[in-house]
Structures are given as structure tokens and as C-alpha cells.
Amino acid sequence: MASGSSGGQRDWKRRESLGSALAQVALVAVLLGATVTFVVHRGRVRRDTETHLKAAQGLAQRGNPADLAKALQELDALFALDADVYGAHALAADLHAALWLEHHQPGSEAPAREHLARAESLESKDAERYGARVVRAWVTLSEGKAPEAAGLLKALRERGASNPKLWLVQARTDQALGNLQAARQAYARAMEGAWKDPRFATAYGEALLQEGLFAQAGEALGRATSANPDHLQARLTAGLATLALHGRPDEVERTLQDLQAREAELSPALKARALATRAELALTRGNPDAALQAADAALAVSPKEPYALFARAKALTAKKDPGARAAFEAAAAQHKTAPLFYFEGAKALQQLGDTAGALALIDGYEATFRNIQVSAGEGKTVSALERDDRYWLTRGNVLEAAGRQDEALTAYEQALAVKGPQQARAQYAKGALLLARKDYEGAKAVLTTVTPDNGTSSVPEAYTAMAELLFAQGDYATGCQHHFFALSRARGRGVPPEQLQAQVAQIGKQLTDAGQVKMAQAWKTEAEALLK
């Protein structure tokens, strides 16, 4: 028994060491192979998802609708590999939101909301991961909830969040709330932080254009086309800025012809913008009927296209149509914090003789901005209207046209008190009003500050006012010199030759009627030499 027991034990140990060892080796090999396969697979998935994400980000930076669509295709390929990548969902939400809110692309709202919800469900509490929350603020703003959007953005900033997309949405929110000063600062910050992406500079240029700051808008849009020379929205909006500055209509025409040949690449918003630009071009060429047709076509594509509404109103003004006032009011109502539509609309209606309509627009501007507070430095704020020299200047012009000179003079004094960019123009306006009242000494004191003897005034019209004042005081020689400055500057601005010739003849008649025959002959000789 002892021997049998001993032999059995030896058999058991022999079987255990051989079979078990082989099984364990096999098991380890399987586990090791599975682990290696899993690690390799996960590495490949991670590598491929990163490749698709970087490709999507690169395409998105080009900024055109077709580029955004290609970026979304890269993200779809990414989601086929891994459906739970937070950054990819946040980017997809942002791109679909751009197609929905900026380009009015049908079918973009639903996927924007879906990816946004998915990103929010995946979002970490880490302060560095807030991309979805920025998109949420943008969507909230699009729903007409600007104060709520501002609250969301404030909470993000308090957590240390800061990137170009956040500042872009902050700028749009400030603009919607009427704080244009803060909006400009936020737009500039977004543009500087994303200088490779033309969408940011384009958004800033668009905002500046809506303020009527045409030269600054052109500079921002130039930044956009430097980042991508083929950015369609930047090119179109730059065309509007060019026309507003009375520059190169032929260049704008070439842009429109190029885009017309690429109609398949245009989103509804871009089609409407192209037609609105076509309307502005027709107005520049003196064809209000063609402008009205193009503007109506633009509004059929996108009923809220701001520059189509604006061009339509201007076309009706040019046709002396009584519907011009309602058209300007419609443009201002759709874009309540865009000064351009109020100020230029008031000027147009004033020239049309509809002073009541011009005042109604200015009153609407006042109602919109009355309660807005802007920074005055050192933690202080003041009323936006108190610092708005363009508002006071425009109000003064309209009141003066309505024959309410005392109120107009008060408005001009308010504009001068701001000591802002419109200082020289406000001085001219005040001086011209005093001249109309025959307060020659008062007018001369004001106009002298804006009529340097070298002809370089930033307000060329001031030379004409000073010349008339000098004629009234009998100083015909100096008056002719100021008229010559005004004529030279008008010629440089491209005023039609026939209009300049009429001015020369009128001034010559004034001199002759005043008994200054030799002076009139000398004036005619010098003026005609200038106009040759």
C-alpha cells in the first residue's frame, strides 16, 4: 500500500506538471495575443480618430460651406470608429450650427442639436472642456435669449474658459444686447486668436459694416481673405464695403461673376448676399429698378438678409416711392442694433423730404440704445447714447432739416462733447448752422478749426461753408481759395464733371453779382484748369 500510494502520487505530479504547464502556456498565449490585438486595435482606432479629427479641423478652417460639409464627412468617418469622442461631437455641433445659423442650410438644425446634446452628455467637468457649452450659448442666442446666453458665457469665463469661439459668441451676444463697444472688443479678440480661420475676421467685418464703419470693415475682411483668398462670404461682404466707400465697382462685378459661375457652392445665405451685393452695385450705377429686382430676389431666398432689406429701401428712395420709409423701418426692425440702417436710412429719408420718417428712425435708434450702459474706464459705466457722437450728429442734421434749429444746435453740442471720431464733422455741422443764422463770427470761430489753409480738412464740405462765410464778409480772395480747396477735393472723390462745372459757374455768378468781375474771370480760369 505504501508503495502503491507512493507510485500514485508520482503519477499525479507527472500528469499535473505536463498537462497543466501546457494548458497554462496556451492560456497565457491566448491572453497575451488578445491583449496585444486589443492594444494594437485601440492604438489604430485612436490614431485614425485623431487623423479624422485633425482633417476635419483643417477643412473647417477654410470656412466655406463646402469645406464645412467635407469636415463633417471626416467626423462621420470618425464616429464609425468611435462614437464617443467628445471633441468630435463638439466640433460637429459647431459646424452644423454654422451651416444652420450663418448659412441657413436646410436640414442643419437637427444634427446641430443632436451632436450638441451628445457632446454635453460626454462633457467632462474639467474647465478645459467647454466647447459644447459655447455652442449651447450660440444656440440660446439664436433663440432670442441674449441675456441667458450672456449668463452661460459669464459662467464659462469665471471657470477660466477663454478661446476664440467663446469670444466670437460673446461678441455676437454683446451685439444683440446693444453693447457695441464690448462687441467690437470681443470680435477683435476672437479674430486675433483665430487668425488662420477666415470666419472670425469675416464676422468682425460684418459687425463693423452694420455699424457703418466701412473702412474698418474693409480692413477686417481683408484679414479674412488673407487667411483664405477664396472665402466666399468675406469676398461678398468686402464688395459691400467697397461700394459703401465709393470704390471699384468693376472689381465687385468680377467677384459677382465668379460666384455666379459657382452657384452650386453657395448656401442660401451666400446666394442672398450675392443678390444683395448685386442690388447695391445697381444702385451705384444709378439703376434703382435693377436694384429693387435683385433685392427682392435676395429676400425670396433669405427674408432676413440685412443688406437686401437695406438695398430695397434705398432703391425705393431713389424711385421716390412712398414705401421707402416702411422699407427702412423693416430693415431696422430685423436688425435692431445695427446703426447703419437707422443713420443711413434717416439721411435718405431726409433727402427725400420725409423728415417725419427720418425722425421716426432716429427715435427708434434712441429707444433701442437708451438703456444700454458702456464702460467708461475705472469700473464706471455711462449711457451708450451719451458717448454716441454719430447719433447726436445725425439727430442734429434731421432736426435742422425740420427747421428746429435750436434743438439741432443742442444735438451738435452733445456730439462735440463726446470728443469722438465725429468731432470734425460735428464742428462743421454747428458752423454751417450758425452760418445759416448769419452768425458769422460764431460760425467763423467754429469753421476755422476744420478748414486748415493747406486744404487737408477731413471734412471737405467745411471749405465750401467757410468760403460762403468769407464771401458774406467781403473777403472774396480768401473765399475763392476755400472754394478751390472744396472743388479739388470733390474732383478727387469722383464727383461727376458736369456737377463740378455747375458749381464753378454758380461761384462765378456770385462773384459777378457782387461786382467782382476780375475775380470772377480769375476764378473761372483757375477752376477750369483744375477740371481739365
Side-chain angles (χ1 to χ4, degrees):
M1 290 179 62
S3 177
S5 296
S6 176
Q9 187 176 9
R10 284 195 299 272
D11 290 342
W12 178 85
K13 287 182 177 180
R14 190 166 49 247
R15 287 196 301 271
E16 174 64 16
S17 56
L18 179 60
S20 181
L22 291 174
Q24 289 178 26
V25 169
L27 179 59
V28 169
V30 169
L31 291 173
L32 182 59
T35 300
V36 170
T37 300
F38 176 78
V39 170
V40 170
H41 173 72
R42 289 303 299 168
R44 185 182 298 115
V45 168
R46 187 178 298 107
R47 181 194 64 205
D48 290 346
T49 55
E50 289 177 355
T51 298
H52 286 301
L53 184 58
K54 288 180 180 178
Q57 291 168 337
L59 287 164
Q61 278 193 340
R62 292 191 55 78
N64 285 320
D67 301 313
L68 304 187
K70 290 177 182 177
L72 288 168
Q73 290 175 359
E74 290 288 344
L75 293 177
D76 286 340
L78 183 156
F79 293 134
L81 297 170
D82 188 344
D84 295 328
V85 179
Y86 165 78
H89 282 289
L91 179 58
D94 180 54
L95 298 183
H96 278 296
L99 291 171
W100 162 32
L101 299 174
E102 293 179 0
H103 290 283
H104 309 155
Q105 198 76 272
S108 296
E109 179 180 356
R113 292 186 181 277
E114 289 170 6
H115 283 289
L116 177 55
R118 184 64 175 147
E120 288 173 329
S121 71
L122 294 169
E123 189 171 30
S124 164
K125 294 184 179 180
D126 185 341
E128 293 301 315
R129 299 180 68 178
Y130 51 82
R133 301 186 191 191
V134 172
V135 180
R136 174 59 67 191
W138 188 13
V139 171
T140 301
L141 177 63
S142 75
E143 295 169 342
K145 303 173 183 177
E148 291 86 341
L152 292 172
L153 293 167
K154 181 180 179 182
L156 288 174
R157 294 197 312 275
E158 288 174 347
R159 292 181 55 189
S162 177
N163 77 356
K165 289 182 179 179
L166 183 149
W167 288 109
L168 179 59
V169 178
Q170 182 69 62
R172 288 170 168 150
T173 303
D174 288 334
Q175 188 178 11
L177 291 170
N179 192 339
L180 303 183
Q181 180 188 93
R184 285 193 297 273
Q185 294 171 352
Y187 274 121
R189 188 165 181 174
M191 180 180 70
E192 293 299 333
W195 57 274
K196 290 184 179 180
D197 192 328
R199 290 181 298 164
F200 293 78
T202 301
Y204 189 22
E206 181 102 17
L208 291 168
L209 192 60
Q210 288 190 13
E211 284 200 61
L213 304 175
F214 305 128
Q216 297 94 317
E219 291 176 6
L221 293 162
R223 293 276 296 269
T225 52
S226 292
N228 179 8
D230 196 36
H231 191 264
L232 303 179
Q233 186 177 353
R235 291 176 64 192
L236 284 169
T237 310
L240 289 171
T242 296
L243 294 174
L245 289 167
H246 308 290
R248 310 179 298 280
D250 292 343
E251 179 180 311
V252 178
E253 177 66 56
R254 287 192 293 271
T255 297
L256 291 173
Q257 289 177 354
D258 177 35
L259 267 65
Q260 185 176 356
R262 302 166 58 182
E263 186 175 0
E265 299 177 43
L266 304 184
S267 64
L270 290 176
K271 290 177 183 177
R273 179 58 54 84
L275 288 164
T277 308
R278 174 67 66 189
E280 286 288 352
L281 185 60
L283 286 170
T284 299
R285 292 171 170 170
N287 192 342
D289 289 322
L292 190 59
Q293 183 179 4
D296 286 339
L299 293 172
V301 176
S302 181
K304 294 183 180 181
E305 165 55 38
Y307 302 104
L309 289 166
F310 189 44
R312 185 176 188 278
K314 290 193 287 185
L316 291 173
T317 302
K319 291 167 65 67
K320 299 186 178 352
D321 190 304
R325 175 178 175 177
F328 278 119
E329 288 174 344
Q334 285 287 353
H335 304 275
K336 289 185 177 180
T337 60
L340 174 68
F341 306 136
Y342 295 97
F343 294 155
E344 294 300 320
K347 292 177 186 177
L349 292 175
Q350 176 187 324
Q351 292 170 1
L352 188 62
D354 185 0
T355 304
L359 279 172
L361 271 179
I362 293 301
D363 288 342
Y365 181 88
E366 180 183 346
T368 298
F369 289 92
R370 182 186 297 123
N371 297 321
I372 305 300
Q373 296 288 311
V374 299
S375 173
E378 298 180 354
K380 298 179 181 178
T381 62
V382 297
S383 165
L385 288 180
E386 185 180 329
R387 301 289 294 273
D388 194 341
D389 52 354
R390 288 188 301 163
Y391 161 71
W392 292 111
L393 181 58
T394 306
R395 175 171 279 281
N397 290 337
V398 175
L399 289 169
E400 185 177 356
R404 295 157 62 175
Q405 291 188 345
D406 290 340
E407 294 175 76
L409 190 59
T410 299
Y412 294 147
E413 294 288 2
Q414 289 274 15
L416 288 168
V418 175
K419 297 182 180 179
Q422 299 298 317
Q423 182 81 356
R425 191 156 290 279
Q427 287 174 312
Y428 159 67
K430 179 183 176 180
L433 176 55
L434 293 173
L435 176 62
R437 287 181 159 189
K438 300 188 185 304
D439 180 357
Y440 298 133
E441 292 306 317
K444 191 171 187 177
V446 177
L447 290 173
T448 298
T449 62
V450 286
T451 53
D453 292 337
N454 58 6
T456 59
S457 174
S458 60
V459 189
E461 304 95 308
Y463 284 114
T464 300
M466 179 61 93
E468 292 299 315
L469 186 155
L470 293 167
F471 275 16
Q473 292 184 324
D475 187 352
Y476 295 102
T478 310
C480 283
Q481 181 182 4
H482 281 75
H483 269 311
F484 188 86
F485 286 148
L487 187 69
S488 177
R489 297 290 292 277
R491 179 176 179 270
R493 294 199 310 271
V495 174
E498 57 274 13
Q499 186 175 332
L500 298 178
Q501 290 287 357
Q503 290 177 8
V504 169
Q506 176 60 33
I507 293 166
K509 184 177 184 303
Q510 283 182 267
L511 292 167
T512 301
D513 291 347
Q516 303 292 317
V517 178
K518 290 185 178 179
M519 186 75 70
Q521 292 174 342
W523 163 254
K524 182 180 179 182
T525 299
E526 293 294 329
E528 288 182 348
L530 172 68
L531 298 181
K532 284 183 180 179

